[in-house]
Amino acid sequence: MRDKPQVQSLNTQLISRLRAALDVHRVHTASADIDLYKRDASNIEGRAGVVCFPLTTAEVQSVVSICAEFQQPFVARGSGTGLSGGATPLDGAVVISTAKMNRLISVDPVHRLAWIEPGMLNLDLTREVTHLGLHFAPDPSSQQSCTIGGNVANNSGGPHCLADGVTSSHILACEVVLSDGSVVMLGGEDPEPDGLDLRGAFIGSEGMFGITTKICVRLMQNYQAVSTILMDFTSVQAGAETVSSIIAWGMVPAALEMMDQLCLEAVEAYIQAGLPTDAAAALLVEVSGLPHAVTDDTERISEIGRAYGARTIRIAQDEAERALLWKGRKTAFGAIARIKPNYYLHDTVVPRRKLNEVLQEVYRIAQRHDLLVLNVFHAGDGNLHPLLIFDKRDPGIMERVHAAGEEIVRVSVEAGGVLSGEHGIGLEKRDFMPLMFGPHDLHAQASMRVAFDPLGIANPFKVLPSPSQCGDAHDMGEDMWV
Ligand SMILES: Cc1cc2nc3c(=O)[nH]c(=O)nc-3n(C[C@H](O)[C@H](O)[C@H](O)COP(=O)(O)OP(=O)(O)OC[C@H]3O[C@@H](n4cnc5c(N)ncnc54)[C@H](O)[C@@H]3O)c2cc1C
């Protein structure tokens, strides 16, 4: 960023310009209002200067143009369910909420695509197209509350992304307001548009390349048959080996999730689904497709489970039982509140063959730091979610939580894994980037950022760790962690 004008005059002028561009009721400055936007669902807190609620692309354009004129950083925000501090505003940034841009614009059932506004909630889209026999495949566990704009920015995944692919496989085009206020369309309805795939570059850019204001999504046909299988094991190792073996057989189930014992106990106390609370681990596997293939795959997966010592194999008998099992999986993070009031959810990926080894190390790390950990994760793609649970009122607890978290990230990367499977880098993992990327890689990423945002005002200080065009990276002092 260039030198800023004086802060005092900037704030007053900026706010009156924003009010003139939108409407006084859609530009919030009262501390009681803007305090709600100081963080996302992570443990990292910042400070919003003002929160704007545009209704249209033109209004987003106006807000961003005013920010550009004042060289004022802005942060796009969907529902704030992000877990890496991506939507956390720093130093009084302008928060641009897409909450009021949540319409389904059009659906084309023949070509199985839809145009939507970015603030549309993930599950709302599927609800709107269910009567057409279609759905939006990416299904983060937060799908009842997260926006598709947030899914695009984080390239989010979900239990059913194993076979169908994460968000980037389901986005055809994004209309984007760049940091200078101009509007571009990246991609198009044609799945193979000419030129560079800038749509692909934008997806996963965590709000640093601009704000998407319209999205063209690919819709998928609902499956004729679905089978949901729950099997449990007396060791995590047996569960992990079953996962590898299913994939080694050449099958890619729709979903392949694992929950460990502490998680099973917490979820069962919450939903009473008859989960095996004395098991060391349980796998929730789903296969979908044509009826005969689903029957064959269910049988083969059951055989593999038995070969690795599965104690029980439960196949959901109807839609209600299937929904209950999935409710258990998708509400696991909420269920842990019965054990401790706070959690820190980690997100790393390890090679599937190292699942057991890394999980055992995660248990040892938690033990060393005298912390409780439970695991509920996308086992099929090696995407770990160790959940450290604690009561933040306990003295010294946050230091232990952070120390354990850092060790979890390091062992995952050392095992040949990566920093994040789906929650993004944001602020949380920014300073770990050099564990994976050398100076040339980081420089290439910074150059890409400059190409999209030469002003350096679109969600600055996120993702890239070292001096880039934005000046020195924002200090992640202890006071930012809550
Ligand atoms: C209980 C729980 C379960 C979760 N489960 C999963 C899971 O299974 N899989 C998964 O991948 N994630 C999961 N998440 C993380 C989170 O829900 C996803 O990252 C989600 O995509 C964030 O969407 P959001 O609307 O809340 O975005 P926000 O948190 O508001 O923002 C996330 C990022 O997107 C940017 N952004 C938002 N809107 C736009 C826009 N229109 N244009 C440009 N940038 C934008 C923000 O600046 C920020 O960097 C979970 C979170 C919780 C709390």
Side-chain angles (χ1 to χ4, degrees):
M1 269 179 300
R2 291 173 244 141
D3 290 340
K4 283 189 189 180
Q6 281 182 358
V7 173
Q8 196 55 46
S9 58
L10 174 143
N11 281 344
T12 323
Q13 281 177 36
L14 179 82
I15 288 162
S16 58
R17 290 284 300 283
L18 292 172
R19 286 191 170 135
L22 301 187
D23 159 337
V24 71
H25 301 298
R26 290 189 284 112
V27 179
H28 292 193
T29 53
S31 56
D33 295 339
I34 62 176
D35 262 11
L36 299 171
Y37 296 85
K38 66 186 175 194
R39 55 183 279 210
D40 56 9
S42 74
N43 295 299
I44 310 169
E45 195 170 285
R47 184 177 62 83
V50 48
V51 183
C52 301
F53 296 89
L55 300 176
T56 60
T57 300
E59 287 193 349
V60 173
Q61 233 185 325
S62 301
V63 173
V64 169
S65 300
I66 293 167
C67 290
E69 191 183 323
F70 284 81
Q71 298 153 43
Q72 174 69 21
F74 63 84
V75 182
R77 184 180 176 102
S79 298
T81 66
L83 289 161
S84 61
T88 295
L90 299 173
D91 300 333
V94 172
V95 173
I96 304 178
S97 165
T98 60
K100 293 184 189 294
M101 297 176 71
N102 58 2
R103 284 181 317 127
L104 173 64
I105 301 167
S106 63
V107 186
D108 177 347
V110 175
H111 296 101
R112 292 192 203 140
L113 57 87
W115 283 91
I116 58 152
E117 291 182 334
M120 180 163 213
L121 300 187
N122 176 301
L123 195 55
D124 283 354
L125 173 56
T126 288
R127 285 190 179 125
E128 292 263 14
V129 296
T130 301
H131 69 287
L132 300 169
L134 300 172
H135 68 280
F136 182 57
D139 65 334
S141 302
S142 53
Q143 69 183 139
Q144 295 190 26
S145 44
C146 65
T147 67
I148 295 178
N151 298 167
V152 167
N154 280 353
N155 194 13
S156 299
H160 289 85
C161 289
L162 179 61
D164 291 335
V166 295
T167 300
S168 61
S169 307
H170 302 276
I171 302 298
L172 291 164
C174 293
E175 177 188 81
V176 176
V177 175
L178 298 172
S179 68
D180 64 358
S182 57
V183 180
V184 291
M185 182 63 77
L186 308 179
E189 290 187 9
D190 174 359
E192 295 293 338
D194 293 339
L196 288 174
D197 181 16
L198 295 175
R199 172 213 63 94
F202 184 81
I203 298 169
S205 61
E206 301 194 30
M208 303 184 308
F209 290 3
I211 300 187
T212 180
T213 43
K214 279 194 194 94
I215 303 166
C216 182
V217 298
R218 200 192 288 276
L219 298 169
M220 294 191 67
Q221 204 168 16
N222 293 346
Y223 298 107
Q224 285 185 20
V226 178
S227 169
T228 307
I229 310 154
L230 183 77
M231 37 190 168
D232 68 271
F233 301 86
T234 52
S235 73
V236 169
Q237 179 169 358
E241 284 171 353
T242 304
V243 169
S244 294
S245 186
I246 290 170
I247 305 283
W249 263 88
M251 282 182 281
V252 184
L256 183 38
E257 303 283 301
M258 190 189 277
M259 291 186 259
D260 70 4
Q261 184 172 16
L262 192 51
C263 179
L264 289 165
E265 277 177 18
V267 171
E268 179 59 15
Y270 185 49
I271 63 160
Q272 290 99 42
L275 299 179
T277 51
D278 59 339
L283 293 181
L284 185 61
V285 193
E286 189 155 278
V287 285
S288 51
L290 296 171
H292 66 276
V294 167
T295 306
D296 288 353
D297 284 354
T298 304
E299 189 46 45
R300 184 160 309 156
I301 287 167
S302 304
E303 272 169 30
I304 295 171
R306 274 191 285 272
Y308 283 94
R311 290 190 318 181
T312 55
I313 296 177
R314 170 176 168 188
I315 298 170
Q317 295 303 303
D318 52 29
E319 185 50 36
E321 189 176 0
R322 172 179 179 251
L324 185 62
L325 293 176
W326 277 111
K327 184 178 173 196
R329 165 61 185 91
K330 292 200 173 185
T331 56
F333 304 138
I336 58 99
R338 304 177 78 93
I339 311 177
K340 293 274 182 189
N342 305 104
Y343 68 78
Y344 191 147
L345 175 57
H346 280 275
D347 163 48
T348 62
V349 182
V350 300
R352 233 178 348 248
R353 66 181 188 289
K354 299 221 173 149
L355 266 181
N356 181 53
E357 191 185 308
V358 177
L359 278 171
Q360 298 308 331
E361 192 52 41
V362 167
Y363 291 125
R364 281 193 287 272
I365 291 169
Q367 203 172 22
R368 267 203 306 279
H369 292 278
D370 193 18
L371 291 166
L372 282 175
V373 68
L374 57 81
N375 287 281
V376 45
F377 61 100
H378 313 310
D381 49 17
N383 186 184
L384 294 184
H385 283 337
L387 199 66
L388 297 168
I389 54 179
F390 55 94
D391 183 339
K392 71 178 182 189
R393 292 166 299 187
D394 291 348
I397 189 84
M398 290 317 294
E399 286 76 10
R400 284 172 16 229
V401 168
H402 290 309
E406 178 164 349
E407 287 179 37
I408 290 171
V409 171
R410 286 183 187 277
V411 298
S412 301
V413 174
E414 278 159 19
V418 297
L419 291 177
S420 167
E422 53 185 19
H423 297 168
I425 301 297
L427 281 169
E428 184 210 16
K429 299 241 175 77
R430 181 193 67 188
D431 297 338
F432 292 128
M433 287 284 276
L435 285 182
M436 277 206 65
F437 299 104
H440 293 298
D441 301 323
L442 290 171
H443 178 72
Q445 292 178 47
S447 305
M448 178 80 122
R449 178 185 199 153
V450 173
F452 274 88
D453 174 25
L455 300 172
I457 56 170
N459 212 6
F461 311 118
K462 308 287 172 69
V463 182
L464 296 174
S466 57
S468 65
Q469 88 289 356
C470 303
D472 286 340
H474 195 277
D475 178 31
M476 280 277 285
E478 279 304 305
D479 53 329
M480 289 192 66
W481 293 98
V482 289

